[in-house]
Amino acid sequence: MTTSVLEDQRTVWTIAAVSFLLFLIGNLPWQLDDYDQAKQAFTSLQMIKEGRWFYQQTPHEQVATKPPLVGWLSAGLFGLTRSWELSWRLPSLLAAIALATFLFRAASSAYGPIAGLIALGAFGLNLLSPRLATLVRTDMPLALVIFLIGVLIWQRIQRQEEWKPRDRVYLFALLTIAMLIKGPIVYAFLLPGIALFQWGRVGALRRPDAAARRPYESTWSGWWPWIASLVVFLLWVIGGILFQPGFFDEVVMREFVARFGETIHRPQPLYFYLPHLLQKFAPWSVLIIAVALVDFHSRKWRLRSAFREMSPETFWLLCWSLGGVIVMSLIPSKRVDRIFPIIPPLCLLLAAQIGRRMPCSHGSVSRLSPSVNSDSTGHRPVATGNAARTYRWSAIALAFAMLFTGGYTIFKVASGYRNHRDALAVFGKNVRREAAAHHWRYEVVSAKDEGLLLYLQKTHFIDPDHAISEWNRANLDALVVSTEKARGLTRELRDAVQFKSSKRKEEQGRGYVLITR
C-alpha cells in the first residue's frame, strides 16, 4: 500500500505543486526590509537607471560587496517584465524550480521513482527552501550552480568516466558563474568534499582490481577550471580596487577577509549550523539519521564495514555534504541561510539511502556502480522488511513535512498581512501613484530604511538642508521624510502639508510622512 502510493505519479505532481506553491507564497507580503534584500535589489536599479553594470553601491552610497551577475539577471528580467518586484525575485524563484527539477531527475534516474519523490519532497518541504525561493538574495542561484557542479562530479564517479575537455569547459563555466554570484565561497562547498573523497581513495587504491579504483580516479577534473574561474573573479576585484574608491576596504577586507576574524562580523560558535540544520531541514534530517542508524545496527555497528561497502557515488554525496558543513562551521561569521547549498546534496544522499533499499524489480537501481556488493545482475541484495519499514518512514516524513512546512508558511504569510509587514512597500507604491497623478517632483530625505529608495524607485537620498533649499526655491512639490525629521523640516518649508504613512512603521519608531504643498 505504502509503496503504491509513493510510486503513484499523482503523488509526484501533488508534492511538486505544493512545493512550488510554497515557493511562490513563502515571502508574502513582499517587502525588502530584512535580510539585506534592499542591498541586492538596489544593484539592478542602479544598473538600469545609472548604467553601473560592474560596480554598484548600497542605498546609503557604500560600495556593494557582491559580484554583479544576479543583478544582471534582474536588470535583464526588468527589460522583459517591466516590473521590479518580479525581476528582483524571479532569479531565486527560477533557480528553486530548476533545482527541484534537476534534483528529482537525478535521484529518479539513479535510485528509482520513490527515491526521486523523497528527494523532491525533502528539497521543497523544509523551512529553508520556501523562505529563500523568492527572497531577493543570491543564496538560491548559488545553490543551483553548486549543485550542478557537484552532480557533474557525481556523474563522473557513477559512470566511471574520465574528465573530457568538454566536461572541463562546462565545469569552468559553472565555477565562473558561481564566482560572479558570490565569490570564492563556492570553494568552501566543493573542495573540502573532493579532498575527503580523495582521502577515501587511499583504501580503494590498495585494492588489486582496477574496477574498485576507477571511480575514485574520476573525481578530480584538474586544476585549470578552478584556477581560470578564480582569475575571472580576480579581474573583477582588481578593477574594483583600481577604479572604485573604498572597494578594497569594503569588499576585500570587510566582506571577505573579515569573515575569518571575530572583530567586524559577529562570530558564532563552532556548532552553530548543526542544530539549525537539524531543525530547519526536519523531518528529513531525522530520517537521514534514522536510516543510517538502522543500517549501522544491521551491520552490528561495524562502521568500517559500512564505509567499505558504500558505493563511491554515495560516498561522494557524504563527503560533499560533510565537507561543506565542516568548512563553513570553521568560519567565525555565520548565518543560517549561508549553509543552504548543503541542502540539495543532503536530499540526494537521502535518495541514495532510500534507493539502496529498493526491491530489485526497479530497473533504475541496476544502474548503480558495480563496485559495491551486488549479485550477477547488478542488483543489490536488499532485505524486504527493511525496505518496507523505510518506505513507511518516508511516507510519514512526507506527510508530516507537507503539514508542518505548509502550516508554518501559511502562518507566516497570514501574520505578515495581519501585522502589515509590507507597510513601507505599500506607502512607497501610494506615493509613486500620487506623484504620477499630480506630476509631482519629489525626493526622499535621508533615512535608515534602505528599502525606502527602492519602493520609491529613487537612486539617491537627499540631505535635509538640500531638501529645504530645493523646496523653498519651488524645485520640489513633495518630500518623503521620516517622522523623526518631519517636525523640524516642516517649520523650514513654506506651505507644507503632511500625510502619515502606515501604522506599523510608526509603532516601530520608523514612520514616514509625505509632505506636499
Side-chain angles (χ1 to χ4, degrees), residues 209-262:
D209 55 317
R213 297 194 302 266
R214 194 176 301 117
Y216 292 88
E217 297 169 351
S218 305
T219 319
W220 185 238
S221 61
W223 282 106
W224 84 256
W226 302 83
I227 295 176
S229 58
L230 180 61
V231 168
V232 174
F233 173 74
L234 290 177
L235 289 175
W236 176 78
V237 172
I238 292 170
I241 294 172
L242 294 177
F243 302 111
Q244 294 295 311
F247 186 93
F248 181 81
D249 292 332
E250 290 293 328
V251 179
V252 178
M253 299 305 297
R254 185 182 181 88
E255 179 68 13
F256 292 104
V257 177
R259 296 287 180 193
F260 298 91
E262 300 184 359

Side-chain angles (χ1 to χ4, degrees), residues 81-324:
T81 64
R82 310 309 298 176
S83 167
W84 280 118
E85 284 289 354
L86 289 177
S87 62
W88 287 330
R89 299 179 191 277
L90 273 177
S92 290
L93 178 60
L94 295 177
I97 294 173
L99 232 171
T101 304
F102 291 145
L103 180 60
F104 173 72
R105 293 183 61 182
S108 298
S109 64
Y111 305 117
I114 294 179
L117 172 67
I118 299 303
L120 175 64
F123 177 75
L125 302 174
N126 60 72
L127 297 185
L128 285 174
S129 297
R131 176 62 171 159
L132 294 175
T134 52
L135 211 62
V136 187
R137 289 186 56 81
T138 57
D139 302 286
M140 191 64 76
L142 179 67
L144 171 62
V145 178
I146 291 175
F147 178 74
L148 293 177
I149 296 171
V151 166
L152 184 64
I153 297 172
W154 177 70
Q155 289 174 338
R156 303 280 79 71
I157 298 169
Q158 188 183 42
R159 299 169 185 171
Q160 300 184 14
E161 294 177 350
E162 294 183 356
W163 285 82
K164 300 180 178 65
R166 181 181 61 184
D167 298 327
R168 292 187 174 93
V169 171
Y170 183 35
L171 176 61
F172 163 72
L174 289 174
L175 285 169
T176 302
I177 292 171
M179 288 285 184
L180 294 178
I181 290 175
K182 213 165 184 176
I185 193 66
V186 61
Y187 288 169
F189 290 102
L190 291 166
L191 288 181
I194 293 175
L196 283 175
F197 189 85
Q198 294 294 322
W199 175 72
R201 170 189 179 189
V202 174
L205 292 179
R206 293 173 182 169
R207 302 181 189 179
D209 55 317
R213 297 194 302 266
R214 194 176 301 117
Y216 292 88
E217 297 169 351
S218 305
T219 319
W220 185 238
S221 61
W223 282 106
W224 84 256
W226 302 83
I227 295 176
S229 58
L230 180 61
V231 168
V232 174
F233 173 74
L234 290 177
L235 289 175
W236 176 78
V237 172
I238 292 170
I241 294 172
L242 294 177
F243 302 111
Q244 294 295 311
F247 186 93
F248 181 81
D249 292 332
E250 290 293 328
V251 179
V252 178
M253 299 305 297
R254 185 182 181 88
E255 179 68 13
F256 292 104
V257 177
R259 296 287 180 193
F260 298 91
E262 300 184 359
T263 56
I264 296 178
H265 300 283
R266 181 182 177 184
Q268 297 289 352
L270 191 66
Y271 59 83
F272 176 81
Y273 287 125
L274 294 179
H276 281 288
L277 271 177
L278 189 64
Q279 179 237 338
K280 295 190 179 298
F281 193 49
W284 311 108
S285 54
V286 177
L287 184 59
I288 290 175
I289 295 171
V291 173
L293 290 176
V294 169
D295 187 59
F296 288 149
H297 180 266
S298 67
R299 300 173 188 275
K300 298 180 180 180
W301 306 103
R302 292 195 294 267
L303 300 184
R304 183 175 298 179
S305 171
F307 282 105
R308 184 169 61 248
E309 296 177 12
M310 187 181 296
S311 66
E313 62 268 21
T314 303
F315 185 57
W316 159 244
L317 296 176
L318 182 63
C319 292
W320 178 9
S321 305
L322 285 180

